[in-house]
């Protein structure tokens, strides 16, 4: 099935009639949930990415639940928690829709476009109407998290017709969000020496909040609502400070039946995605509230849904005055069609031959296909404009691809090479024969090993790789290394008087740094010993990865390798130790290039760094495949 979903088109045309019993079960070990389907839709602002969870066939609710994400970095941190909540709700009989606001996630648009708050609210309205079409239900429950909760209540006030409202750690006043964003910006700018934006805009954890967006957010005040947004509401405070109590009091005064609770796991949910913990108790509380507010009818209802993941096609950019039209298509990849991907292409006939290789972006586990700071989305679209079809897809157990037993809880594993091979096989069926693999950190490790194993890879772009030879038990060491800078960083720091002032105040963790340097020395000694024993014939080469020889093999095969490092990233030292004396010779080879960019952090979260990285990759691939 392949159907266009264009701006102004009827999104319902993408779906076929099916009952909940027709939905295949999840591939998870307990088989407890119907797996969600991509359900993109279009509103007046552009394409909106969404996933629809059909309800359990055993229990049916007459209400569809729409989940409203937080914004920016918090949306990335809460990704797995929102998927878990959607799954739990589907298990008890609720159809569920989760979506990305315009300019976020896989949806079209960018942070710097005008009227962000109005556009986000229109995305909520569009998601509500789309959820009704997908589910066949009219009754709607809105669930929002943090700023998403604020937007959910504003949308409910604007449109009406919402039957229940769950506000999870809401901002009662938008100016509170703006104040917290300014505080984070000031701290980050001081730590990273980031350039300040003169127009009043803020750079917050890799995302942009324009001055106009901050102004519009500051004008939001839920405690000034003139009428009840929903008959029933659950308000879950972020902590025990009671900041949400004025909102609870106001909603009750407006006539809403309000339940109030305090979050049990909010702080742990909002950590770095790798350390984020799903707040099970909070999810249970939300499910319990919705269970009571929307009892099961006991009658199975048909649910108009898509029959598979493959072929939903939508326009992300279309303006004949400014450039070509870009389409994105959802793909089901792998032998069991359970790897989810999004392919970005120019608007060309499906049978047109691809003059340039397809680019595949690899997850930095546990970040999803959009990449850290969402940077893979604009990069994929920029590459597509230059004629490089670009695939963003989720590895097994990451994002919207279900977990496999082989890759459960892994960060660095050659098992993931099978997923990348499956993605290339799927694209090959569409007519693509050559591939460029792009990855950051653990994604770079995977790009390296995929390139070694598959000659269809004509170029590998590796951004801040931390290791090339991983074995069981190494992951904790690698995580620790990511907090320690390169040797050159500390050499420069010794000449800076501020370093000695911080040392006297006890602000420098010398023990961690010393352990890291000792580990580097031990690792270099081990590698030199392995090389010597291999040359003497006392150790089989297959027992360890000779990284230098592997890079030699790639460049001799004709596979171009592009290494990009942040100037102070510890991975530079690791590359030097693993490649050894070959590095200088490799850097003279036409198929090997290494660039070091002073200033960015490990994930290139600064906006200027993201722009620089995008420009470098575009330029490199344009030169290689002119």
């Amino acid at each position: 099935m392949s159907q266009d979903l264009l701006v102004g088109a009827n999104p319902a045309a993408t779906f076929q009639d099916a009952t909940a019993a027709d939905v295949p079960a999840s591939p998870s070990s307990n088989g407890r949930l119907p797996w969600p389907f991509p359900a993109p839709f279009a509103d007046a602002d552009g394409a909106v990415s969404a996933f629809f969870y059909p309800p359990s066939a055993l229990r049916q609710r007459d209400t569809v639940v729409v989940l409203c994400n937080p914004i920016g970095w918090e949306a990335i941190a809460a990704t797995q928690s929102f998927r878990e909540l959607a799954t739990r709700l589907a298990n008890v009989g609720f159809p569920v829709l989760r979506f990305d606001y315009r300019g976020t996630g896989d949806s079209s648009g960018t942070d710097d476009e005008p009227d962000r708050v109005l556009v986000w609210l229109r995305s909520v309205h569009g998601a509500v109407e789309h959820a009704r079409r997908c589910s066949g239900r009219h009754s709607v429950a809105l669930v929002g998290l943090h700023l998403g909760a604020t937007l959910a209540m504003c949308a409910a006030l604007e449109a009406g017709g919402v039957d229940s409202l769950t506000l999870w750690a809401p901002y009662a006043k938008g100016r509170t969000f703006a104040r917290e964003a300014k505080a984070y910006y000031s701290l980050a700018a001081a730590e990273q020496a980031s350039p300040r934006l003169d127009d009043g805009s803020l750079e917050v954890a890799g995302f942009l909040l324009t001055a106009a967006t901050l102004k519009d957010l500051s004008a939001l005040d839920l405690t000034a609502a003139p009428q009840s947004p929903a008959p029933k509401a659950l308000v879950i405070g972020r902590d025990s400070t009671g900041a949400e109590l004025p909102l609870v009091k106001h909603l009750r005064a407006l006539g809403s039946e309000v339940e109030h609770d305090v979050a049990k796991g909010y702080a742990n949910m909002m950590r770095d995605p790798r350390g984020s913990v799903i707040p099970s108790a909070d999810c249970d509380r939300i499910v319990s509230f919705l269970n009571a507010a929307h009892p099961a009818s006991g009658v199975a209802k048909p649910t108009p849904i898509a029959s598979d993941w493959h072929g939903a096609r939508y326009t992300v950019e279309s303006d004949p005055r400014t450039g070509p039209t870009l389409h994105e298509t959802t793909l089901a990849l792998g032998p069991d069609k359970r790897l989810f991907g999004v392919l970005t292409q120019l608007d060309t006939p499906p049978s047109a031959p691809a003059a340039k290789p397809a680019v595949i972006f690899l997850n930095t586990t546990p970040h999803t296909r959009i990449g850290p700071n969402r940077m893979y989305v604009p990069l994929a679209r920029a590459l597509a404009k230059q004629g490089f079809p670009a695939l963003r897809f989720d590895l097994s157990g990451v994002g919207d691809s279900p977990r496999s037993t082989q890759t459960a809880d892994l960060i660095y594993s050659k098992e993931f090479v099978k997923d990348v091979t499956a993605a290339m096989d799927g694209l090959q069926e569409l007519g693509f024969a050559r591939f460029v693999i792009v990855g950051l950190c653990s994604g770079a490790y995977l790009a390296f090993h995929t390139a070694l194993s598959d000659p269809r890879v004509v170029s590998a772009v590796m951004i801040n790789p931390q290791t090339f030879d991983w074995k069981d038990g190494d992951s904790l060491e690698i995580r620790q290394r990511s907090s320690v800078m390169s040797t050159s960083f500390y050499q420069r720091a010794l000449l800076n008087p501020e370093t000695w002032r911080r040392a006297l105040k006890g602000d420098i963790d010398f023990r961690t740094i010393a352990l890291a340097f000792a580990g580097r020395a031990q690792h270099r000694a081990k590698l030199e010993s392995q090389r010597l024993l291999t040359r003497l014939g006392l150790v089989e080469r297959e027992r360890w990865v000779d990284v230098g020889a592997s890079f030699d093999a790639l460049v001799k095969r004709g596979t171009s390798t592009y290494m990009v490092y942040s100037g102070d990233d510890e991975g530079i030292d690791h590359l030097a130790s693993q490649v050894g004396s070959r590095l200088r010779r490799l850097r003279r080879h036409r198929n090997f290039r290494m660039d070091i960019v002073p200033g960015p952090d490990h994930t290139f979260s600064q906006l200027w760094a993201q722009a620089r990285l995008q420009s470098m990759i575009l330029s490199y691939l344009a030169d290689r495949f002119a």
Side-chain angles (χ1 to χ4, degrees):
M1 180 181 69
S2 179
Q3 301 183 38
D4 285 347
L5 185 60
L6 307 179
V7 174
N10 177 13
T14 306
F15 298 94
Q16 299 176 350
D17 289 334
T19 65
D22 295 324
V23 181
S26 164
S28 64
S29 58
N30 56 17
R32 64 191 179 97
L33 69 141
W35 201 253
F37 299 100
F41 65 93
D43 60 16
D45 301 298
V48 176
S49 172
F51 271 80
F52 179 73
Y53 291 68
S56 165
L58 302 178
R59 285 172 284 187
Q60 294 282 308
R61 311 279 172 161
D62 290 330
T63 299
V64 62
V65 180
V66 177
L67 302 184
C68 300
N69 281 323
I71 294 294
W73 180 88
E74 290 177 336
I76 293 178
T79 292
Q80 294 304 322
S81 297
F82 249 42
R83 286 181 171 87
E84 174 66 17
L85 178 59
T87 293
R88 294 190 187 192
L89 290 168
N91 284 336
V92 298
F94 287 101
V96 182
L97 186 86
R98 60 175 173 82
F99 69 98
D100 298 323
Y101 311 99
R102 159 88 180 187
T104 71
D106 286 310
S107 294
S108 58
T110 59
D111 288 341
D112 58 356
E113 293 176 337
D115 300 323
R116 287 298 82 202
V117 176
L118 289 175
V119 168
W120 292 338
L121 288 171
R122 286 198 290 263
S123 294
V124 179
H125 294 315
V128 168
E129 293 309 309
H130 190 53
R132 286 173 169 149
R133 284 191 293 265
C134 294
S135 66
R137 275 72 164 172
H138 181 75
S139 176
V140 172
L142 285 181
V143 177
L145 173 61
H146 223 194
L147 189 58
T150 307
L151 295 172
M153 180 166 162
C154 289
L157 288 166
E158 287 181 350
V162 172
D163 297 279
S164 75
L165 186 64
T166 298
L167 306 177
W168 189 2
Y171 285 103
K173 297 185 178 182
R175 68 169 179 258
T176 305
F177 175 87
R179 186 167 61 245
E180 289 183 4
K182 289 175 183 177
Y184 182 95
Y185 172 78
S186 297
L187 178 63
E191 288 184 348
Q192 300 175 357
S194 298
R196 290 189 172 269
L197 306 176
D198 296 332
D199 62 353
S201 300
L202 298 180
E203 177 182 334
V204 181
F207 294 88
L208 177 68
L209 290 167
T210 66
T213 298
L214 290 166
K215 180 180 178 181
D216 291 341
L217 284 172
S218 297
L220 301 180
D221 185 356
L222 302 186
T223 61
Q227 73 270 347
S228 170
K232 298 181 180 181
L234 169 64
V235 179
I236 303 178
R238 179 167 52 170
D239 49 39
S240 59
T241 61
E244 75 286 353
L245 291 177
L247 176 58
V248 172
K249 181 178 179 180
H250 185 64
L251 288 173
R252 286 173 175 162
L254 292 173
S256 294
E257 181 183 327
V258 183
E259 296 183 24
H260 173 238
D261 209 334
V262 177
K264 308 297 190 297
Y266 177 84
N268 287 334
M269 173 176 58
M270 287 301 182
R271 290 155 59 180
D272 178 90
R274 186 168 295 155
S276 178
V277 179
I278 294 173
S280 185
D282 296 332
C283 290
D284 287 343
R285 182 67 178 91
I286 294 169
V287 172
S288 176
F289 166 74
L290 292 173
N291 260 333
H294 308 280
S297 65
V299 178
K301 295 187 65 174
T303 305
I305 58 172
S307 59
D308 59 32
W309 279 3
H310 205 68
R313 187 168 180 256
Y314 51 96
T315 300
V316 291
E317 288 187 29
S318 180
D319 189 341
R321 296 169 301 175
T322 59
T325 297
L326 289 181
H327 286 300
E328 290 190 340
T329 307
T330 62
L331 297 180
L333 302 164
D336 55 0
K337 303 300 181 186
R338 289 297 187 179
L339 298 176
F340 178 72
V342 178
L343 178 64
T344 309
Q345 292 177 279
L346 287 170
D347 187 17
T348 54
S351 60
K356 295 180 179 179
V359 179
I360 299 177
F361 291 92
L362 305 182
N363 293 104
T364 301
T365 55
H367 290 91
T368 68
R369 60 194 171 273
I370 69 173
N373 321 306
R374 197 189 178 228
M375 68 181 186
Y376 286 171
V377 177
L379 178 53
R381 292 170 184 172
L383 284 165
K385 289 179 183 178
Q386 288 197 359
F388 294 94
L391 174 73
R392 310 185 303 274
F393 89 104
D394 289 327
L395 301 168
S396 301
V398 182
D400 289 295
S401 294
R403 185 184 303 270
S404 71
T405 55
Q406 290 81 13
T407 59
D409 300 321
L410 295 179
I411 299 172
Y412 290 85
S413 174
K414 294 178 186 177
E415 288 292 333
F416 285 124
V417 171
K418 297 175 184 177
D419 290 349
V420 189
T421 300
M424 289 191 286
D425 292 342
L427 290 181
Q428 193 162 9
E429 292 176 4
L430 298 177
F432 304 104
R434 301 181 300 157
F435 303 98
V436 175
I437 309 293
V438 179
L440 184 150
C441 193
S442 60
Y445 165 90
L446 184 55
F448 173 72
H449 286 283
T450 303
L452 284 173
S453 66
D454 200 316
R456 291 177 296 178
V457 178
V458 294
S459 184
V461 179
M462 291 171 259
I463 307 161
N464 279 336
Q466 295 294 290
T467 187
F468 302 94
D469 184 14
W470 182 91
K471 295 179 178 62
D472 290 340
D474 285 352
S475 60
L476 293 177
E477 174 193 350
I478 291 165
R479 288 177 186 169
Q480 184 183 39
R481 281 208 310 267
S482 66
S483 65
V484 180
M485 299 296 189
S486 65
T487 302
S488 60
F489 171 84
Y490 294 107
Q491 290 172 340
R492 294 196 307 273
L494 290 174
L495 303 177
N496 186 347
E498 179 62 25
T499 300
W500 300 104
R501 282 193 290 269
R502 291 182 61 204
L504 291 173
K505 291 170 62 178
D507 291 340
I508 296 178
D509 187 353
F510 284 106
R511 182 176 183 275
T512 297
I513 296 171
L515 287 173
F517 271 82
R520 292 175 193 177
Q522 183 181 18
H523 187 69
R524 284 194 297 270
K526 179 181 177 181
L527 287 173
E528 289 303 323
S529 174
Q530 287 174 323
R531 292 184 182 112
L532 175 60
L533 292 174
T534 301
R535 285 196 296 270
L536 295 175
L538 299 177
V539 172
E540 296 179 9
R541 185 178 298 276
E542 288 74 14
R543 295 184 59 187
W544 63 288
V545 177
D546 187 335
V547 178
S550 298
F551 273 110
D552 272 344
L554 283 176
V555 297
K556 289 176 182 176
R557 191 181 76 191
T559 301
S560 64
T561 302
Y562 185 29
M563 315 285 292
V564 182
Y565 282 99
S566 305
D568 296 327
D569 195 86
E570 193 272 345
I572 299 173
D573 291 298
H574 197 67
L575 174 69
S577 66
Q578 288 207 314
V579 176
S581 59
R582 282 188 174 96
L583 182 57
R584 184 174 298 176
R585 176 164 49 82
L586 278 169
R587 297 188 73 168
R588 294 196 296 266
H589 199 287
R590 61 178 298 273
N591 285 335
F592 185 95
R593 178 171 167 180
M594 178 175 169
D595 284 334
I596 297 176
V597 185
D601 59 18
H602 180 65
T603 61
F604 283 74
S605 67
Q606 303 99 317
L607 296 177
W608 70 265
Q610 293 179 43
R612 175 77 181 278
L613 180 64
Q614 180 178 123
S615 175
M616 292 167 65
I617 293 175
L618 288 171
S619 176
Y620 175 77
L621 293 181
D623 289 343
R624 294 294 306 183
F625 305 102

